[in-house]
Amino acid sequence: TAGPINNSRNNNYVVAVPGDINTLSQVRAFYPEAYLDRSSQGDFVNAGAFANRDAANARTNALQARGINARSLYRQVNFR
């Protein structure tokens, strides 16, 4: 399932959860806007993109508290 296109240049902090469609279902129970995404390191569930690290860490911590293996990542997005 492709996610929404986010053209904001400021949302470089991504909450990533390693996994597949099954993991997506688990994350969507808490954040319905989550979607499958991919990077050079592989596929993951994108549980949100944020302008600052604190906001991303708050969501990461909330997911981890529910037993979901989430992490906050900085992802440089280049727009052409």
Side-chain angles (χ1 to χ4, degrees), residues 24 26-35 47 58-60 62-63 66:
L24 176 62
Q26 292 176 331
V27 175
R28 279 189 171 166
F30 305 106
Y31 300 104
E33 70 279 10
Y35 62 95
R59 180 158 298 184
T60 297
L63 286 166
R66 292 172 169 94

Side-chain angles (χ1 to χ4, degrees), residues 36-68:
L36 289 177
D37 202 346
R38 78 176 34 148
S39 73
S40 60
Q41 296 172 327
D43 295 345
F44 65 95
V45 174
N46 185 324
F50 301 89
N52 66 70
R53 183 186 314 255
D54 290 339
N57 285 343
R59 180 158 298 184
T60 297
N61 292 338
L63 286 166
Q64 288 175 346
R66 292 172 169 94
I68 296 173

